[in-house]
Amino acid sequence: MYYLIKNQLEECTAEECHTSGVPYVAVLTPEEWQAERARFDMGIDLDLKVKNILNTKAEVNYDSLTGNFSIPNRRDFSKEEWKFAFAMDEKGIVFIDQGGYAAHLIRRVGRSKKWHIPSLERFLYDFLEQIIYRDLSIMEAYERELDQIETDIMEGEAEEALMRVNTIRGELRDLRIHYDQLIDLSQELEENENGFFRQENVRYFRLFTNRMTRLYDSATSLQSYTMQVRDLYQAQLDIKQNRIMTVLTVVTTIFMPLTLIAGWYGMNFRYMPELESKWGYPIVIGVSLAIAIISLIFFRKKKWL
C-alpha cells in the first residue's frame, strides 16, 4: 500500500511514490520490504524484523530514522501486542507490518484527516494520535469502575472486587510503560537530529509529548487509586474479622462463668448441700440466666455489641 501526503492521504502506485516528489507513506510486509528496500535509498544496513519487537522506540541512523511500535490491545490486554517496524527519511516513511495494524491506523487517518498544509510531520502526529485516540475514554471508564468498586466495598457487596482491581492495576501498568515509550519516541522525533523535519513543524511532536505526559500522569494517578481501593478492601475485611472476633469474645466471656458453675457442680463431692436441695436446679438456672443477661447489658453499654 502506497500513499501520497497531499491535502489528505491519496493512494498511489509504487512508481508514483518514488517519483512524485511529494512526501509518501508506504505499508509493506517484511517480504515486500526485503524486495523493495533498495528503491527507498535510506541506507539501512540492519534488517527490520517484526517478530523480535519488544517495545516502542526510535533510533537515529546516518541517513534514516528507524524504530518499532509495540502497542497493547486496548480491547483485551491479555492478547498479544500489535507490532510493526518503520523506517523514515525526509522523503517519507515506510511501515513494515505483518499483522495489518499499521495499515488499519493509516486508513483511519485517511478517512478522518484533511490538511491545509500537508507535511510528513503532520501525518506522523495524526498517526500517533490514532494509537491513543480512545485512551482518554479508557481512563474515564477505569475511574468510574473504581468508584463503583469502592462504593460496593463500603456497602459490603464486592465479593470479587480485589481480583478486578488487580486486573485494572496490571492494565494501567502496561499502559504506563507504553506511554513512557511513546514519550521517548516523540522526543526523539522532536530532537530532529538528521534534519528531516521542518523546524516550524517540530511543534507537532511537542504537542504529542505533552498529551502523552498527561495520559501518563492519569495512568499513574489511577494506579495509585487502585492501591487505595485495595487498602480499603483489606480494611473492610479487617473490620468484618474484628466484628466476628468481638462476637466470639462476647460469647466466650458469657459462657466462662457458666462453665465454672458447670465444672463446680460437676465435681460430685459427697457433702454438697446444693445437690440435696429441691431448689438447687432452678437456682442454678436462674443464676446462669442472670449472668448471661447482666453480661449482655454490660457489653451493650460498652458498645461492644
Side-chain angles (χ1 to χ4, degrees):
M1 298 173 63
Y2 297 90
Y3 301 87
L4 296 178
I5 303 175
K6 296 185 177 181
N7 292 106
Q8 64 183 116
L9 287 182
E10 183 178 294
E11 285 197 56
C12 65
T13 64
E15 190 62 33
E16 290 173 331
C17 168
H18 294 296
T19 61
S20 67
V22 176
Y24 64 84
V25 179
V27 185
L28 307 177
T29 65
E31 295 75 20
E32 290 171 338
W33 167 251
Q34 289 299 326
E36 297 287 333
R37 59 188 294 180
R39 297 191 65 188
F40 290 97
D41 192 28
M42 292 185 182
I44 301 172
D45 296 326
L46 300 174
D47 288 337
L48 300 176
K49 296 182 179 179
V50 177
K51 291 184 179 179
N52 297 329
I53 293 174
L54 300 175
N55 55 12
T56 298
K57 64 178 182 178
E59 295 180 354
V60 177
N61 306 304
Y62 182 75
D63 286 329
S64 63
L65 194 151
T66 59
N68 311 315
F69 283 94
S70 181
I71 303 172
N73 188 327
R74 267 66 162 177
R75 297 185 184 278
D76 188 351
F77 283 83
S78 64
K79 291 184 177 179
E80 187 177 0
E81 297 179 333
W82 301 106
K83 298 179 180 181
F84 53 91
F86 70 90
M88 176 174 54
D89 60 13
E90 72 279 5
K91 297 187 289 293
I93 183 168
V94 182
F95 293 98
I96 300 93
D97 181 18
Q98 187 69 58
Y101 193 65
H104 168 68
L105 294 176
I106 291 169
R107 283 194 294 269
R108 283 214 310 244
V109 173
R111 288 194 301 264
S112 61
K113 299 296 180 180
K114 290 185 178 181
W115 305 296
H116 289 293
I117 307 176
S119 64
L120 178 60
E121 300 88 338
R122 182 56 198 263
F123 164 78
L124 288 171
Y125 173 79
D126 289 328
F127 178 83
L128 293 171
E129 284 279 304
Q130 289 300 318
I131 295 175
I132 60 166
Y133 85 106
R134 292 180 57 245
D135 285 21
L136 184 58
S137 61
I138 289 173
M139 295 297 165
E140 292 171 351
Y142 279 141
E143 186 170 9
R144 287 194 299 270
E145 187 174 1
L146 289 170
D147 286 341
Q148 185 60 51
I149 290 174
E150 185 176 14
T151 301
D152 292 343
I153 289 173
M154 294 301 294
E155 294 175 354
E157 299 177 358
E159 294 297 331
E160 299 180 356
L162 189 59
M163 185 179 298
R164 178 55 185 158
V165 169
N166 286 337
T167 299
I168 293 174
R169 185 167 178 267
E171 292 174 358
L172 287 168
R173 180 196 61 235
D174 292 344
L175 285 174
R176 284 181 68 242
I177 293 171
H178 178 54
Y179 294 156
D180 193 34
Q181 293 171 359
L182 282 175
I183 289 171
D184 288 343
L185 181 143
S186 181
Q187 289 175 339
E188 193 70 62
L189 296 176
E190 185 182 352
E191 189 68 25
N192 195 21
E193 184 175 334
N194 286 348
F196 292 159
F197 309 124
R198 302 175 193 167
Q199 198 58 42
E200 65 270 19
N201 289 341
V202 171
R203 61 190 176 89
Y204 290 125
F205 306 129
R206 187 160 52 251
L207 287 172
F208 183 76
T209 300
N210 291 338
R211 182 171 179 185
M212 290 310 311
T213 301
R214 291 193 295 272
L215 279 173
Y216 180 89
D217 291 342
S218 295
T220 302
S221 177
L222 284 173
Q223 197 170 27
S224 299
Y225 189 14
T226 61
M227 296 300 296
Q228 295 172 15
V229 173
R230 287 180 62 185
D231 292 342
L232 176 63
Y233 182 81
Q234 188 61 49
Q236 290 298 108
L237 284 180
D238 292 342
I239 290 172
K240 287 181 180 179
Q241 291 174 353
N242 288 339
R243 286 174 180 167
I244 293 170
M245 292 303 298
T246 299
V247 172
L248 291 175
T249 302
V250 167
V251 171
T252 302
T253 304
I254 291 173
F255 277 90
M256 280 178 62
L258 303 182
T259 304
L260 175 63
I261 292 173
W264 186 274
Y265 287 101
M267 291 186 292
N268 293 324
F269 286 117
R270 183 175 180 181
Y271 300 105
M272 294 183 72
E274 296 87 352
L275 297 179
E276 302 294 333
S277 172
K278 67 177 182 179
W279 300 105
Y281 183 64
I283 288 172
V284 170
I285 292 175
V287 169
S288 298
L289 289 173
I291 290 172
I293 292 170
I294 291 170
S295 298
L296 289 171
I297 293 172
F298 176 77
F299 292 137
R300 285 284 185 184
K301 278 192 173 183
K302 293 294 185 179
K303 296 182 180 180
W304 294 345
L305 281 177

